[in-house]
Amino acid sequence: MAAKQTVLLLGATGETGSSILEGLLEANQFNVEILVRPSSAEKPAVKKIVSRGVRLRVAELGAPADELAKVLSGVDILVSAIGPQDCLQQKVLVKAAKDANVERFVPCAFITIAPPKGVMLLRDEKEEVYNEIKRLALNHTIIDVGYWHQISFPRVPSGRVDYATVIMDNTIHADGNAPNILTDLRDIGRFVARIITDERTLNKYVYTWGDVLTENEIFSIVEELSGEKIEKNYVSAETIEKQAQDAAAELSQNPQDPSKRYPAYISQYQYSKYVRQDNRPWYAKFLGYLDARELYPDFKPISFRECVQEALDGKGRRPYSG
Ligand SMILES: NC(=O)c1ccc[n+]([C@@H]2O[C@H](COP(=O)([O-])OP(=O)(O)OC[C@H]3O[C@@H](n4cnc5c(N)ncnc54)[C@H](OP(=O)(O)O)[C@@H]3O)[C@@H](O)[C@H]2O)c1
């Protein structure tokens, strides 16, 4: 029997990383290890993962590439789910992965479909990493997931999903008719486990999805399942575009200020998703993405309806609550 491939996961304690960790372990076909920075090595969340038999490698991403290459020794597949603020720190990992003969690098993508430059700062920064990967001809796969189900459903008047939702203002953006690719956070890892061993996805972009829904459809589903009427707020396309421009201008005054980065990320997501309507299958295919559901027709994703029903039943979980 062939030896199991070693998959090293960066960001395993995060929301996306936790899903990927579970997906990799559930697949039961990899030797799963995690890469953690020194300041986090003693965190309870890391210890908990290690207690499940997952090997820990510790390194500072700011270390020279030759030191990092030693840390990556023996790794077949490197998967990164680093947080949005830290994406550029992966650049040095690219050189290290190349030097360590990593067979495939999955850099941290895991966002909505968007053009490679000029619409979303988050995408622009990730793309800088992709460009470094291409410059060094490192085998890779870029996986985007649309928006998570878990951050896409509105509140209901009774307040019974407040514990699980991050949306507090129940806004419909523009006319509410932009289709959006959605994936349940828990499915990301299950998709990743399949994609990373698939020859068809080597050096390709892939998008995953559970549903493609407009905001009007999302609100209708939540109203239907809850039996409650939701009061909606509307924001125009012009206002969304202006908010994105204003947030970018604010950020340009102090590009490293996290309090300025998050408003820019959020308003650019909204502009991209609802005004430009980038986060949809047609545009993904235009950009050259493969559709994970076409690659894996037997994959049964968790539907948006199921996720909402769980929240209504008191079985949901608000992301980042840990
Ligand atoms: N599609 C969507 O709807 C959606 C939603 C949210 C996020 N995302 C994307 O998903 C990606 C992951 O975000 P997330 O929100 O899931 O992450 P997160 O929960 O904030 O977790 C970030 C992870 O990265 C690790 N990390 C951060 N900086 C590091 C460094 N310098 N060295 C080593 N480890 C570091 C953290 O470990 P420590 O314990 O050391 O801090 C943590 O494990 C992001 O790039 C974001 O753009 C997508």
Side-chain angles (χ1 to χ4, degrees), residues 12 28 30 33 46 56 60 92 106 116 128 154 164 171 233 239 274 307-308:
N28 199 24
F30 305 109
E33 304 187 0
V46 171
L56 172 67
E60 195 67 74
V92 66
V106 179
E128 272 193 52
T171 299
N233 302 308
T239 304
Y274 303 119
C307 179
V308 172

Side-chain angles (χ1 to χ4, degrees), residues 60-317:
E60 195 67 74
L61 293 187
D66 58 338
E67 273 179 37
L68 277 177
K70 285 184 201 142
V71 176
L72 299 184
S73 162
V75 171
D76 298 304
I77 303 168
L78 174 62
V79 180
S80 170
I82 197 165
Q85 301 269 9
D86 299 285
C87 280
L88 285 174
Q89 293 198 40
Q90 297 169 102
K91 271 172 135 180
V92 66
L93 265 184
V94 179
K95 171 87 173 72
K98 183 76 184 175
D99 292 347
N101 296 317
V102 168
E103 287 169 14
R104 186 184 313 219
F105 181 31
V106 179
C108 186
F110 305 113
I111 55 168
T112 50
I113 308 301
K117 201 166 166 55
V119 174
M120 287 177 58
L121 170 68
L122 195 51
R123 175 65 187 240
D124 294 359
E125 291 189 346
K126 289 174 191 278
E127 204 74 31
E128 272 193 52
V129 178
Y130 310 159
N131 286 339
E132 184 65 0
I133 289 171
K134 291 171 190 171
R135 192 176 74 81
L136 295 181
L138 176 64
N139 281 335
H140 60 278
T141 304
I142 288 153
I143 305 172
D144 279 313
V145 299
Y147 222 54
W148 304 339
H149 290 347
Q150 281 79 357
I151 54 175
S152 298
F153 60 85
R155 298 182 62 221
V156 291
S158 65
R160 63 189 160 127
V161 296
D162 284 6
Y163 76 97
T165 184
V166 296
I167 297 179
M168 288 298 162
D169 57 359
N170 288 359
T171 299
I172 298 273
H173 298 86
D175 63 4
N177 286 327
N180 269 281
I181 293 170
L182 304 173
T183 299
D184 192 287
L185 177 55
R186 294 162 293 179
D187 276 340
I188 294 176
R190 297 168 57 222
F191 274 117
V192 167
R194 292 199 182 200
I195 293 168
I196 60 174
T197 55
D198 189 339
E199 282 301 310
R200 296 172 298 176
T201 64
L202 196 62
N203 303 328
K204 296 281 195 289
Y205 289 69
V206 184
Y207 74 98
T208 72
W209 58 282
D211 287 279
V212 178
L213 294 169
T214 68
E215 274 187 318
N216 288 327
E217 288 168 334
I218 284 174
F219 277 62
S220 296
I221 289 170
V222 177
E223 285 185 339
E224 178 202 321
L225 294 177
S226 65
E228 298 187 45
K229 185 96 193 113
I230 302 170
E231 194 172 319
K232 299 158 189 141
N233 302 308
Y234 287 85
V235 58
S236 70
E238 294 71 31
T239 304
I240 297 166
E241 184 167 2
K242 171 100 176 41
Q243 284 168 343
Q245 286 165 352
D246 290 351
E250 275 273 315
L251 178 63
S252 67
Q253 306 292 315
N254 191 352
Q256 299 315 321
D257 181 350
S259 70
K260 300 278 189 297
R261 284 175 82 84
Y262 275 109
Y265 289 159
I266 297 298
S267 57
Q268 290 173 350
Y269 259 130
Q270 289 169 353
Y271 174 57
S272 173
K273 285 167 62 182
Y274 303 119
V275 180
R276 287 181 45 88
Q277 306 197 7
D278 292 326
N279 184 39
R280 56 185 164 141
W282 174 84
Y283 191 53
K285 289 193 171 166
F286 171 85
L287 292 174
Y289 281 78
L290 302 175
D291 176 338
R293 297 279 297 284
E294 286 174 9
L295 294 172
Y296 317 113
D298 63 313
F299 188 101
K300 275 217 159 306
I302 301 168
S303 71
F304 180 75
R305 294 179 82 92
E306 286 171 78
C307 179
V308 172
Q309 190 60 59
E310 281 174 0
L312 288 165
D313 293 344
K315 296 179 191 150
R317 185 185 75 88

